[in-house]
Amino acid sequence: MPSTARRVLTLLALLAVAGAIPGVLAHGGDDGPMDMGNDGDMGGHGGMGGEDPKPDPDSYPATYFAHPEHVSTIYAHIGIMVIGWVFLLPTAVMLSIARSRYTLTAQFLFLLTNAVGVLVGIVYNANTPDLYPNNAHHKLGWLVTWVVGAQVLVGLVGRVAGMMSSTPRQGRGKEEEQSFIPVSTEAMAEHHRMHQDMFSSPYRESNDSGQGTERNTESLRSASLSTMVGHESPIERNDRRIHYEEDDEDLPFKPAELGSSSAVPSFVAGMASKISDKAWKVIMFGYGFVDRTILILGYITLCTGLITYARFFEGHEVFSGLAHWIKGGIFFWYGILTLGRWSGSFGELGWAWNVRPKQQSQKWRPSAEFAEGALIFTYGATNIFLEHLGSSDAQFSSQDLEHVSITVLFIGGGLLAMLIESSRIRDLLNTTTTEASLSHPDHAFSDEERSALEPPRQYEFSINPIPALVILLLGIMMSSHTQQSMISSMVHKQWGNLLTGASFARGFTYVLLYLKPPRSVLPSRPPTELLTAFGLISGGTIFMASSGDTIEGMIHYDLDAMFFYTVTMGLVGVLMAWVVLVLAFKGWAVRRESNRSQIWKPRSKN
């Protein structure tokens, strides 16, 4: 028995050694047949542990990124433009929207910074070869520069002409806020004569001499008014604003008086006086339109600058670049909009997760979900064949059909989202129930039955998960989308997971709102929307990096997918903090102008 057992153990040992011989031979040398990245089955494009084959350096075109001459000049151009378009311009836009008296100062500071950046760019172009002929960055850069310059000119003329009031009124004379205009002695005498009866009443507002011997006179109360402004409730602040505005209705406005102290304002006021009211309305509409779109134009200009710097999307690759960068840019600004809604932007429309404030004219306004549905529908309708245009032949491949199917999903999902937001459609869907409840008109309803006929409280707020569902499906599909290289697959999976996470966060937002709908006109600020914004902004940015030329550039310069991912996460965090600061700065500017106007008015009548 011992000899038999010894033979069995010896046989098992020999079998184990024989089984290990192939593995030893496979890993015995650097040039073995299973070397990752050569001809083995796990190498090349498909291996998760392999590396993408690096192209011949001589085959990659020369770029400004690798150009060895005048590097400090192009870095200075990039840095100055980032300071101007990312930091100074948003500040000027917020001041302009707030109708702040510091608007022109901020705008001129931006124009000066932009002019220096343009000059540095011209110097760089003059000393380097044209590596990207006929690029879009140069043309678009000049276009947006002239647009901003024209807006500043309109703002200057409008400020002098009295069209840049923080609370515009009907007609030329009512457009100018009285706090910005010196009132003449003749106008004050006429105002006192017309309102003598009001001034003799015990509830005086503006007839005090300034000495103030009575306990309740305005001169005594105005000293403490500055400490109270801004601490009232919105209703009290609005009542006080309406009171002062009604009291100012009879103050005459004389544009010619603005030019009494200087010849230049007089010349500008004379020019502005020749423009009709209708023309001013069109001009001011264009001014406001530029205010709300110039940041997007600046973003596009910066993106084209990056494309020119790295020499992406030349020739036929432009269609692939448009497909990825347009879609990624849409998700980027979708995230900015989501962060703005959380911060309180568009609260007057009910978009800030709040109840829409009641106004005198309750005109129809689209809900935020309706706007999202329209954006998704337009996105699908305009990009249905864009991916196919980037293919080398005219035949539809399986990947082309996949992209077409995704755009059809966007068309159907966007249309469904808009239909759900239609109050008319929802009313028609309730027809069966309403007809059944009113089938006996002579029936006397009890209090319990009447309460059962009331609309649910969830009807007061839009809960529409279809836009989030469309983005969720897109993220899932792109996370598993077959790519030609490992790094491309990783990048697609990264932004797909980010969009998926954003969709889940939006779903949690709707759960919170369904359980407890908002009751206040103030923003409810659900915390899950911060996660949604972060996922959309970062996902859109990485989406742009998943185009073919961008992936080839990453491979050429030895940049892996995780490097770009981590850099994007850090930049998005800083960007979100800056967006919140800019929106808070806008609120400060609006409140400061309102307080200054309300404090100045009663004192100017003494």
Side-chain angles (χ1 to χ4, degrees):
M1 292 296 293
S3 59
T4 303
R6 188 179 299 109
R7 292 191 189 97
V8 172
L9 292 176
T10 303
L11 181 61
L12 292 176
L14 291 174
L15 291 175
V17 172
I21 288 176
V24 173
L25 294 177
H27 297 280
D30 293 336
D31 299 327
M34 292 297 291
D35 183 23
M36 308 300 282
N38 286 331
D39 298 330
D41 293 338
M42 295 300 292
H45 301 307
M48 294 303 293
E51 295 181 356
D52 294 314
K54 190 172 181 179
D56 184 8
D58 297 332
S59 64
Y60 200 81
T63 64
Y64 293 108
F65 181 79
H67 192 69
E69 300 177 357
H70 304 283
V71 177
S72 58
T73 306
I74 189 62
Y75 285 171
H77 172 73
I78 295 173
I80 292 173
M81 286 306 186
V82 168
I83 292 174
W85 289 89
V86 178
F87 294 99
L88 296 181
L89 182 61
T91 304
V93 169
M94 295 300 108
L95 290 174
S96 178
I97 294 176
R99 294 293 187 262
S100 172
R101 62 188 183 277
Y102 302 117
T103 300
L104 288 176
T105 302
Q107 288 176 337
F108 277 115
L109 181 61
F110 164 75
L111 286 180
L112 177 62
T113 304
N114 184 72
V116 174
V118 170
L119 180 61
V120 173
I122 292 175
V123 172
Y124 180 79
N125 291 332
N127 291 277
T128 55
D130 189 4
L131 300 179
Y132 203 141
N134 199 29
N135 65 81
H137 178 64
H138 294 163
K139 304 180 183 66
L140 189 60
W142 284 111
L143 175 63
V144 296
T145 298
W146 284 111
V147 168
V148 176
Q151 187 199 27
V152 174
L153 179 61
V154 170
L156 176 61
V157 176
R159 182 71 65 177
V160 175
M163 304 301 295
M164 306 299 296
S165 168
S166 60
T167 55
R169 301 188 184 105
Q170 300 294 327
R172 174 78 61 86
K174 297 181 181 180
E175 284 288 341
E176 177 63 33
E177 189 68 42
Q178 297 297 330
S179 60
F180 295 99
I181 305 174
V183 183
S184 63
T185 306
E186 294 80 6
M188 288 302 303
E190 180 68 14
H191 183 73
H192 280 273
R193 185 185 64 79
M194 295 177 61
H195 297 274
Q196 188 66 35
D197 294 337
M198 183 188 71
F199 293 144
S200 60
S201 64
Y203 302 100
R204 292 183 296 173
E205 293 293 341
S206 57
N207 69 325
D208 189 47
S209 62
Q211 304 301 319
T213 57
E214 297 181 18
R215 190 174 187 83
N216 293 326
T217 53
E218 183 65 24
S219 60
L220 290 177
R221 285 183 284 122
S222 61
S224 61
L225 182 60
S226 60
T227 62
M228 297 299 295
V229 171
H231 297 280
E232 315 99 324
S233 67
I235 297 177
E236 293 172 342
R237 188 182 302 121
N238 183 66
D239 291 342
R240 182 159 54 83
R241 177 181 60 83
I242 293 175
H243 172 74
Y244 287 131
E245 287 182 358
E246 290 177 349
D247 193 38
D248 285 338
E249 287 293 331
D250 297 318
L251 288 178
F253 169 62
K254 299 180 180 180
E257 294 176 5
L258 294 174
S260 59
S261 59
S262 176
V264 176
S266 177
F267 173 74
V268 176
M271 289 178 49
S273 62
K274 299 179 181 180
I275 303 177
S276 64
D277 290 341
K278 293 182 178 180
W280 267 119
K281 289 181 180 179
V282 175
I283 293 174
M284 295 311 300
F285 174 81
Y287 184 94
F289 180 79
V290 172
D291 262 345
R292 288 159 177 80
T293 57
I294 191 62
L295 294 181
I296 299 178
L297 289 176
Y299 172 79
I300 297 173
T301 306
L302 291 177
C303 288
T304 56
L306 178 59
I307 292 171
T308 304
Y309 185 58
R311 200 173 174 180
F312 291 150
F313 314 137
E314 286 186 299
H316 204 66
E317 292 296 326
V318 66
F319 297 106
S320 174
L322 288 174
H324 285 82
W325 284 58
I326 290 177
K327 296 173 185 177
I330 289 175
F331 283 114
F332 175 89
W333 282 99
Y334 190 8
I336 296 293
L337 174 63
T338 301
L339 181 59
R341 291 179 60 191
W342 178 90
S343 301
S345 300
F346 306 103
E348 69 278 7
L349 301 177
W351 288 19
W353 310 104
N354 64 324
V355 177
R356 179 184 172 189
K358 298 296 183 181
Q359 300 176 355
Q360 293 181 355
S361 59
Q362 286 294 104
K363 297 181 180 179
W364 177 84
R365 293 292 186 272
S367 64
E369 284 71 17
F370 184 91
E372 292 176 351
L375 177 64
I376 289 174
F377 177 83
T378 305
Y379 167 90
T382 56
N383 290 273
I384 188 167
F385 295 118
L386 198 56
E387 288 279 357
H388 172 67
L389 293 175
S391 60
S392 57
D393 53 6
Q395 299 295 327
F396 270 90
S397 64
S398 59
Q399 282 196 343
D400 291 334
L401 294 177
E402 288 180 13
H403 290 118
V404 170
S405 301
I406 293 174
T407 56
V408 171
L409 167 66
F410 272 67
I411 293 174
L415 181 60
L416 177 60
M418 289 188 290
L419 290 175
I420 292 175
E421 290 303 306
S422 172
S423 58
R424 177 63 176 170
I425 293 295
R426 292 199 300 265
D427 181 65
L428 292 175
L429 294 176
N430 291 337
T431 301
T432 304
T433 305
T434 55
E435 291 296 327
S437 60
L438 299 177
S439 58
H440 303 286
D442 297 333
H443 176 68
F445 292 96
S446 63
D447 293 340
E448 184 178 355
E449 290 175 330
R450 291 183 181 276
S451 62
L453 293 176
E454 294 293 328
R457 62 176 184 173
Q458 285 79 8
Y459 280 22
E460 300 176 3
F461 192 81
S462 176
I463 299 179
N464 190 346
I466 299 301
L469 175 63
V470 173
I471 297 176
L472 171 66
L473 295 176
L474 176 66
I476 293 174
M477 288 185 288
M478 289 295 103
S479 298
S480 56
H481 194 39
T482 304
Q483 301 297 322
Q484 296 180 353
S485 63
M486 182 194 67
I487 188 172
S488 180
S489 299
M490 291 181 64
V491 172
H492 277 77
K493 187 173 183 178
Q494 287 171 357
W495 67 260
N497 289 339
L498 287 169
L499 294 185
T500 301
S503 301
F504 276 117
R506 173 58 64 85
F508 287 133
T509 299
Y510 285 134
V511 171
L512 295 176
L513 296 179
Y514 186 84
L515 295 176
K516 191 174 183 180
R519 296 291 186 181
S520 173
V521 297
L522 299 177
S524 58
R525 297 195 177 100
T528 49
E529 282 303 291
L530 291 174
L531 304 179
T532 304
F534 187 90
L536 290 173
I537 296 174
S538 55
T541 304
I542 299 179
F543 194 158
M544 300 166 68
S546 63
S547 59
D549 274 8
T550 313
I551 296 297
E552 290 181 7
M554 294 172 66
I555 296 174
H556 176 75
Y557 293 111
D558 292 325
L559 301 176
D560 58 10
M562 285 308 300
F563 169 81
F564 192 82
Y565 185 84
T566 53
V567 170
T568 301
M569 297 302 104
L571 291 178
V572 170
V574 174
L575 177 63
M576 291 180 64
W578 173 240
V579 170
V580 173
L581 282 176
V582 168
L583 293 176
F585 177 74
K586 174 201 167 187
W588 171 86
V590 171
R591 185 169 295 179
R592 183 177 179 84
E593 289 303 313
S594 176
N595 295 348
R596 178 176 179 270
S597 172
Q598 293 164 359
I599 293 174
W600 195 92
K601 287 177 182 179
R603 292 180 178 178
S604 65
K605 302 169 191 174
N606 292 333

